[in-house]
Amino acid sequence: MNWQGYLLLSPLFGVIPDSLRVVAIPQTLNKVEHDSLELKCEVSKSTTQHSHVSIAWYRQRGSEAPVEIISLSRDFVLRAGSAYAQRHATGDVRLDKVGETTSKLTIYNLHPSDQGEFYCEAAEWIQDPDDSWYAMTRKRSQGAVVNVQATDKEFSVRLETEKRMYIVGEPAEFRCILEAQNVPDRYFSISWAFNSSLIASLGPNAVPVLNNEFAQREALGQLKVAKESDNVFVLKIYRLRLEDSGKYNCRVTEREKTVTGDFIDKESKRPKNIPITVMPLTLAYTCLECASHQEQLAAHQLFLDVVTHEVKTCLDPNAWAVPCTWWKASLASSVASVYHLPCVSAFLSLETSISLEIINNASTVLEGESLRFGCNVRSGLGPQSRLSVSWQLVDRLNRRSEIVRLDREGTLHPGAAYAERSSYGGIQVEQVRPGSFTLEIFNSVKADEGHYECRVAEWTRTLDGEWQMVGERHTSTLVSITALEAGFAVTAISRTPGVTYNESFDLQCIIKPHYPSWVPVSVTWRFQPAGSTEFHDLVTFTRDGGVQWGDRAAAFRTRTAIEKAESSNNVRLSISRASDTEAGKYQCVAELWRKNYNSSWTRLADRTSNLLEIRVLRPGGRGLYCVIPGSLAGSSPERIQDMGETFPKCF
């Protein structure tokens, strides 16, 4: 009998045919480093007995031992070989089922070390009655030869600029060009240097980090560092200065990303320095004394030939003794130092022409109300000038602090003492229209009292691109703030002429002064039962308008109503069907609160009223309806009337 293709396991199983098939396409693939690789393997069987199949992928080079890449065990457990475990953990090595009998091996980001013959191997397993597993057969597919060409890791860098000689005020652009293979798949960082001092650096994320004064120039729009493309980086200086003369260079460093996401530096290269020279504007003509009118006109015409086109339309050369205002302010400082024309520099004067007006919503406000100021600026300068505004407070002790500053670029800078308050929206500054600025301080406090100053500076550009302050003006206004607790007092009264059993009586807690409804005040009625020496809280009208009953107020709740007047903080306590339970002494306690800019609460003050004693008598009896000790004891009815309430007689 021919046993080829059959397996004899044991008398228990008999003869089982070998039906395992392992098929992969034999091929040769040429890849480049960092490419991806996909290989498929079909594994099938037709065994009637219950069996499991395992599959594994291997790579082999010549006579070397095969290296396991990844495997799926008979128990469906996926494991990577030791040489590929880390790449499997990062997702660069995968084994996926793509059909009923087909699996796919995927390797991303190929390495040169991945080169070799790839094949898959499968085994069919069957379980003995003793629960042990046996591999009935094991087969491998034909191989796929994979060649991986290493990427050229070399790179070069060159630096370019249009010219080497510049004039003050001109723009300059430097281009750092990276030449390398597969740049998008590699990581590079770049740094710019001027006279060996760092200007800026860009990491693989292409976010520039500028150094010292260059960061300030970049913020003012005078300088830019950027990534133009994968292999081109630029440094742009929009207006050169004399001090920009010197040597410029860039350095490119290749970086490698680790499995943890960190970068490590590898090779670094830089090209030769490029030196540039920035020359001042000069005129061949100088007039030491400007003796003749013809010399003046000649100097003037030569001057107009090198300044901006706006200047040319601003001034009539035949009547240049009266220049327009903004022409004066924009060019005066530059003429003396750059053009060396004493006659012109003497003729032009750099002086601000702005005037200010400050307005406020009120000179005296109640603590908690908003402060609103307006600062209106009148100026004769044109579009070449800009304004910066600083709001400052000089308090009662003559201490000065900056509240907020709006720079000439329109950026807000809160003062150190107001930074937190501003972050909560407690301070708002706006430019409502050109030359008109507002300051609003919400939820004022007593410390906000004092002189508020609006300080405005006028700026203009010189020919070398720098901003120069033409002048500054300021004006102020006084604001007084009335403290919320000033005059805070509370009085308890009763209008009820007499109390007998089953009658009703009212008690009122009068708050002075008459606060606006937005001022938070809490009021608590307290009660001392007749024959007791202890007070307990009866009911509280909370600062947010809620009602809280005391722990020992159960007997009162069904027959007691509490009401707060809409137009004031006065709180009335009404008790119906009086009995011995309600006999005793009553007192109200008021607490004055302020909500801070950060939504926390501050208790400013608390006041306790006089005592009201209520005696409840049976019909036919007499009772003492009210007692007024303390400052109101013995007061005349006229004084009581002055309080806005008619106080009953005590009897």
Side-chain angles (χ1 to χ4, degrees):
M1 183 176 182
N2 184 2
W3 292 95
Q4 185 176 0
Y6 290 84
L7 294 174
L8 180 63
L9 295 179
S10 73
L12 293 174
F13 295 108
V15 178
I16 300 175
D18 180 6
S19 62
L20 181 68
R21 294 178 65 252
V22 182
V23 179
I25 299 174
Q27 56 186 321
T28 298
L29 299 174
N30 295 314
K31 297 287 185 177
V32 178
E33 185 178 1
H34 303 303
D35 282 352
S36 296
L37 173 68
E38 289 186 357
L39 297 173
K40 293 182 180 178
C41 181
E42 183 180 352
V43 178
S44 62
K45 65 181 180 67
S46 57
T47 308
T48 57
Q49 281 83 359
H50 176 71
S51 62
H52 288 190
V53 173
S54 63
I55 183 172
W57 278 93
Y58 293 90
R59 186 206 74 223
Q60 187 172 21
R61 285 201 294 264
S63 60
E64 297 178 4
V67 174
E68 182 180 357
I69 301 171
I70 194 169
S71 65
L72 181 67
S73 72
R74 64 172 183 267
D75 301 322
F76 309 106
V77 176
L78 191 66
R79 295 188 182 90
S82 58
Y84 286 85
Q86 186 174 5
R87 293 168 69 183
H88 175 251
T90 60
D92 279 352
V93 175
R94 295 177 57 89
L95 180 61
D96 300 291
K97 186 176 181 180
V98 294
E100 186 66 28
T101 59
T102 305
S103 61
K104 180 178 69 174
L105 168 69
T106 305
I107 301 179
Y108 299 102
N109 192 26
L110 281 171
H111 297 176
S113 59
D114 291 325
Q115 184 166 288
E117 182 184 14
F118 287 73
Y119 65 89
C120 69
E121 182 180 276
E124 185 176 7
W125 300 77
I126 195 165
Q127 191 175 25
D128 259 355
D130 62 358
D131 293 333
S132 60
W133 286 89
Y134 296 94
M136 296 189 297
T137 184
R138 189 182 302 271
K139 294 181 180 180
R140 57 160 285 182
S141 70
Q142 291 179 287
V145 177
V146 178
N147 299 313
V148 181
Q149 180 183 354
T151 302
D152 184 6
K153 291 293 185 180
E154 288 298 314
F155 66 92
S156 61
V157 183
R158 72 177 191 270
L159 182 62
E160 296 179 353
T161 189
E162 183 180 349
K163 55 186 180 180
R164 304 294 180 94
M165 301 290 290
Y166 294 88
I167 298 174
V168 167
E170 280 191 307
E173 179 177 297
F174 301 89
R175 298 167 64 82
C176 188
I177 301 171
L178 168 65
E179 295 177 338
Q181 291 186 6
N182 298 318
V183 173
D185 299 325
R186 299 162 70 179
Y187 299 101
F188 293 94
S189 63
I190 183 171
S191 60
W192 288 97
F194 169 62
N195 290 339
S196 300
S197 296
L198 182 66
I199 296 176
S201 59
L202 289 88
N205 59 2
V207 177
V209 178
L210 287 94
N211 193 34
N212 299 332
E213 64 169 304
F214 298 104
Q216 300 175 9
R217 293 177 70 176
E218 190 267 347
L220 297 173
Q222 300 173 2
L223 181 145
K224 181 180 180 181
V225 174
K227 180 180 179 180
E228 189 174 273
S229 65
D230 286 333
N231 63 330
V232 178
F233 305 85
V234 294
L235 166 64
K236 294 181 180 180
I237 303 175
Y238 294 105
R239 290 178 176 271
L240 285 168
R241 307 173 181 176
L242 288 173
E243 58 268 28
D244 289 330
S245 294
K247 297 177 181 179
Y248 290 81
N249 210 333
C250 65
R251 178 183 293 274
V252 177
T253 303
E254 184 167 17
R255 311 189 75 187
E256 183 176 329
K257 190 175 185 179
T258 66
V259 293
T260 62
D262 297 325
F263 288 96
I264 56 175
D265 290 346
K266 298 180 71 178
E267 190 176 5
S268 182
K269 292 185 178 180
R270 68 181 181 91
K272 291 183 178 181
N273 293 329
I274 288 186
I276 70 167
T277 301
V278 183
M279 300 181 298
L281 288 167
T282 57
L283 290 179
Y285 180 88
T286 59
C287 51
L288 299 178
E289 297 181 357
C290 299
S292 70
H293 182 63
Q294 292 300 321
E295 288 178 333
Q296 293 176 1
L297 291 177
H300 172 62
Q301 190 59 55
L302 198 57
F303 180 80
L304 292 185
D305 287 340
V306 293
V307 294
T308 62
H309 295 292
E310 289 83 0
V311 174
K312 291 182 179 180
T313 61
C314 177
L315 189 62
D316 179 3
N318 296 321
W320 73 294
V322 186
C324 64
T325 305
W326 74 265
W327 189 85
K328 286 173 53 180
S330 298
L331 302 177
S333 64
S334 302
V335 172
S337 59
V338 178
Y339 286 88
H340 311 297
L341 294 178
C343 58
V344 180
S345 62
F347 167 72
L348 295 175
S349 61
L350 196 62
E351 183 179 352
T352 183
S353 59
I354 61 175
S355 61
L356 307 180
E357 176 193 22
I358 190 170
I359 55 176
N360 62 349
N361 60 329
S363 58
T364 301
V365 298
L366 181 64
E367 182 179 4
E369 291 182 324
S370 295
L371 307 179
R372 298 181 182 88
F373 304 92
C375 188
N376 298 321
V377 185
R378 299 185 186 91
S379 173
L381 289 188
Q384 301 298 321
S385 68
R386 292 186 183 180
L387 300 175
S388 63
V389 180
S390 173
W391 290 96
Q392 300 181 9
L393 171 64
V394 180
D395 64 16
R396 294 293 191 182
L397 299 178
N398 207 32
R399 295 173 299 191
R400 180 181 298 274
S401 56
E402 184 173 62
I403 303 169
V404 66
R405 174 171 53 88
L406 183 68
D407 65 22
R408 60 175 178 265
E409 305 297 332
T411 304
L412 282 175
H413 304 274
Y418 292 82
E420 181 180 2
R421 191 171 176 183
S422 178
S423 68
Y424 282 94
I427 295 174
Q428 182 175 316
V429 172
E430 286 187 282
Q431 181 176 358
V432 294
R433 58 182 178 276
S436 182
F437 305 89
T438 61
L439 166 67
E440 189 163 5
I441 299 178
F442 301 99
N443 195 17
S444 63
V445 295
K446 182 64 176 175
D448 292 329
E449 185 175 69
H451 284 86
Y452 282 80
E453 281 191 3
C454 172
R455 306 183 74 91
V456 179
E458 188 171 20
W459 301 80
T460 187
R461 274 195 194 276
T462 59
L463 288 180
D464 62 0
E466 292 299 303
W467 285 99
Q468 180 177 352
M469 188 171 71
V470 180
E472 186 181 61
R473 297 285 187 271
H474 69 272
T475 185
S476 65
T477 184
L478 176 64
V479 172
S480 298
I481 298 178
T482 302
L484 278 174
E485 61 267 33
F488 181 45
V490 58
T491 304
I493 65 171
S494 174
R495 291 177 176 272
T496 308
V499 181
T500 59
Y501 268 78
N502 290 322
E503 285 188 341
S504 299
F505 63 93
D506 292 342
L507 308 176
Q508 289 206 52
C509 189
I510 308 298
I511 308 297
K512 296 296 180 181
H514 187 83
Y515 289 110
S517 58
W518 54 263
V519 176
V521 178
S522 64
V523 176
T524 300
W525 275 104
R526 307 184 69 214
F527 175 60
Q528 180 184 348
S532 172
T533 60
E534 180 184 356
F535 269 96
H536 63 265
D537 291 348
L538 189 60
V539 63
T540 298
F541 212 106
T542 64
R543 65 187 179 217
D544 55 2
V547 175
Q548 294 179 351
W549 289 91
D551 296 336
R552 299 167 61 181
F556 282 81
R557 294 189 64 170
T558 58
R559 292 180 290 113
T560 303
I562 185 169
E563 179 184 3
K564 184 177 182 181
E566 293 184 2
S567 60
S568 68
N569 286 296
N570 298 344
V571 176
R572 181 175 63 187
L573 186 68
S574 300
I575 299 176
S576 59
R577 303 195 310 275
S579 66
D580 291 337
T581 303
E582 289 76 37
K585 296 176 182 178
Y586 292 81
Q587 186 180 56
C588 65
V589 177
E591 293 179 335
L592 184 63
W593 294 84
R594 182 186 69 222
K595 190 174 184 179
N596 303 312
Y597 61 81
N598 58 2
S599 297
S600 63
W601 289 91
T602 298
R603 187 174 65 179
L604 298 177
D606 59 83
R607 301 287 188 269
T608 302
S609 75
N610 53 289
L611 295 176
L612 290 178
E613 184 174 3
I614 299 297
R615 292 180 181 174
V616 181
L617 301 179
R618 297 190 180 279
R622 297 190 62 198
L624 180 64
Y625 306 115
C626 62
V627 176
I628 312 175
S631 60
L632 293 178
S635 299
S636 66
E638 290 77 10
R639 181 185 173 196
I640 306 282
Q641 187 68 35
D642 288 342
M643 294 176 55
E645 303 289 346
T646 303
F647 204 94
K649 295 181 180 180
C650 297
F651 59 105

